[in-house]
């Protein structure tokens, strides 16, 4: 089986109260691919510029990510994003976004990338997401992520892109912004009405919720005493969730499967935030992930006794 991801491949400059990195490997597709590589063979699709070097590619290929669909644009510069976080790590400010090689990028999937069983449309311009979606017609499961920028400048295209996928993964605030609905459940139901069968609301350090037509599931984030950099946590979460779906080709993508997938996404995201950028996930092991998923299952379990309540 195979998993294709299209999204940003980037250099990020990030400052948090716990340190800073003026230039590190990042991008929505990169964070996703590293996380998903624990579950399936992942192909990453996106453009890079002259500043992209074998050292960055080695981080991806070191995890077995197939890099042959990365497009090298001569004379161009790789997508650049810069952000700063305050003490509330859920709240970040974007300082700079330079599209670079994404300007004028028209994704053309190779036959191998287009034949993917599972497709993830990571955060990029929604028209590009749609162009990719049409090329991977036979994918059995397609998920999409986006962000406030595209809700503000390309809402119609984003709604059209959403109507063509199975699962939408967005921050809860973005879901409300997108729909204008006052709370998460109403917002998710509205999005379900556009076509997808599942909506996942990322809630930062509070975890994530899954909403389908007939079900709801929610997990807290894994409790960590040291969080250094949340950049890429959402994409890493998506990589764990969508990767888990890809690793179960024979199972219908129902609530049961998605609940387990949420646990893997949560565990992977918790590793991502322990260090800057891709640093932690790049040297993560499968055993560490499994241990954290088990710990999460224990943490979230409880029994209901037969206590008689006072009238
Ligand atoms: P996350 O923290 O999961 O929301 O994702 C952070 C990553 O998204 C960073 O590594 C950035 O390079 C990337 N990113 C930020 N803004 C954009 C954008 N407008 N389009 C695509 N990728 C972006």
């Amino acid at each position: 089986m195979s998993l294709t991801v299209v999204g940003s491949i980037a250099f990020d400059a990030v400052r948090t109260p716990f340190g800073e990195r003026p230039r590190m490997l990042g991008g929505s597709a990169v964070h996703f691919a590293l996380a998903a590589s624990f579950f399936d063979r992942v192909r990453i699709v996106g453009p890079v510029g002259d500043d992209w070097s074998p050292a960055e590619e080695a981080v991806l290929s070191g995890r077995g990510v197939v890099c042959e669909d990365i497009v090298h644009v001569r004379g161009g510069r790789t997508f650049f994003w810069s952000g700063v976080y305050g003490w509330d790590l859920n709240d970040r400010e974007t300082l700079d976004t330079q599209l670079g090689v994404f300007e004028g990028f028209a994704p053309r999937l190779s036959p191998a990338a287009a034949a993917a069983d599972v497709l993830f449309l990571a955060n990029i311009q929604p028209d590009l997401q749609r162009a990719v979606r049409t090329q991977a017609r036979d994918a059995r499961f397609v998920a999409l992520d986006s962000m406030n920028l595209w809700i503000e400048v390309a809402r119609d295209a984003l709604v059209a892109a959403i109507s063509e996928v199975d699962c939408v993964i967005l921050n809860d605030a973005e879901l409300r912004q997108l729909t204008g609905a006052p709370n998460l459940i109403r917002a998710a139901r509205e999005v379900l009405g556009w076509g997808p069968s599942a909506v996942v609301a990322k809630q930062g350090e509070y975890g994530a919720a899954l909403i389908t037509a007939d079900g709801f599931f929610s997990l807290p984030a894994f409790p960590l005493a040291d969080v250094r950099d949340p950049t890429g946590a959402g994409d890493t979460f998506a990589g764990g969730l969508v990767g888990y779906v890809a690793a179960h080709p024979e199972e219908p993508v129902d609530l049961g499967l998605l609940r387990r997938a949420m646990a893997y996404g949560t565990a992977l995201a918790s590793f991502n935030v322990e260090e800057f950028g891709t640093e932690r996930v790049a040297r993560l092991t499968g055993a560490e992930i499994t241990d954290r998923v088990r710990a999460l299952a224990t943490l979230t379990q409880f029994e209901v006794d037969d206590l008689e309540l006072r009238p």
Side-chain angles (χ1 to χ4, degrees):
M1 291 298 134
S2 71
L3 203 178
T4 292
V5 54
V6 56
S8 58
I9 299 173
F11 288 114
D12 290 344
V14 171
R15 182 155 40 91
T16 82
F18 312 103
E20 66 183 303
R21 298 286 184 277
R23 187 177 184 272
M24 65 182 181
L25 174 62
S28 55
V30 167
H31 286 289
F32 176 93
L34 288 175
S37 70
F38 287 93
F39 303 87
D40 202 352
R41 191 172 157 81
V42 181
R43 280 182 175 269
I44 182 166
V45 180
V48 296
D50 290 340
D51 46 353
W52 181 254
S53 79
E56 281 83 44
E57 201 144 309
V59 175
L60 292 165
S61 49
R63 283 270 348 126
V65 175
V66 182
C67 296
E68 55 194 41
D69 295 279
I70 294 179
V71 181
H72 295 255
V73 181
R74 279 240 191 98
R77 284 187 72 78
T78 301
F79 181 95
F80 176 79
W81 175 80
S82 162
V84 60
Y85 298 80
W87 283 104
D88 178 357
L89 291 173
N90 271 349
D91 191 28
R92 84 171 162 214
E93 187 190 347
T94 291
L95 300 177
D96 195 7
T97 301
Q98 295 173 19
L99 290 180
V101 289
F102 265 102
E103 250 163 314
F105 175 65
R108 223 173 319 130
L109 296 190
S110 66
D117 180 43
V118 170
L119 175 68
F120 186 64
L121 305 168
N123 176 25
I124 43 165
Q125 214 284 344
D127 285 319
L128 296 185
Q129 294 180 313
R130 293 188 74 193
V132 171
R133 173 67 187 104
T134 7
Q135 293 172 57
R137 284 202 185 286
D138 298 332
R140 78 179 162 91
F141 182 76
V142 183
L144 169 151
D145 183 16
S146 191
M147 71 183 296
N148 53 355
L149 171 69
W150 306 123
I151 298 171
E152 283 151 26
V153 306
R155 185 182 180 277
D156 290 349
L158 179 57
V159 171
I162 287 174
S163 71
E164 294 161 7
V165 302
D166 303 293
C167 177
V168 172
I169 303 175
L170 280 177
N171 292 340
D172 57 355
E174 291 164 354
L175 276 165
R176 288 196 301 269
Q177 184 188 359
L178 175 65
T179 57
N183 76 57
L184 178 60
I185 300 300
R186 282 181 188 271
R189 287 199 182 135
E190 167 119 24
V191 172
L192 290 172
W194 300 344
S197 49
V199 171
V200 176
K202 296 176 285 182
Q203 297 164 310
E205 65 177 306
Y206 305 111
L210 163 72
I211 302 103
T212 64
D214 53 2
F216 179 87
F217 179 64
S218 164
L219 274 180
F222 190 81
L224 293 172
D226 289 308
V227 174
R228 289 198 178 79
D229 171 26
T231 308
D235 305 303
T236 307
F237 171 86
L241 187 151
V242 176
Y244 187 86
V245 171
H248 294 81
E250 309 300 336
E251 272 189 57
V253 187
D254 58 13
L255 198 59
L257 180 78
L258 287 172
R259 287 164 77 108
R260 285 179 274 133
M262 291 266 293
Y264 278 84
T266 299
L268 269 147
S270 73
F271 285 110
N272 174 81
V273 303
E274 286 179 348
E275 292 178 28
F276 275 78
T278 60
E279 289 165 11
R280 181 68 180 96
V281 176
R283 59 178 166 73
L284 192 58
T285 66
E288 288 175 306
I289 299 169
T290 308
D291 282 352
R292 201 160 274 187
V293 169
R294 292 217 168 96
L296 191 62
T298 309
L299 274 171
T300 52
Q301 221 169 19
F302 66 92
E303 279 164 24
V304 182
D305 66 13
D306 51 8
L307 172 70
E308 294 252 350
L309 297 172
R310 288 155 57 88

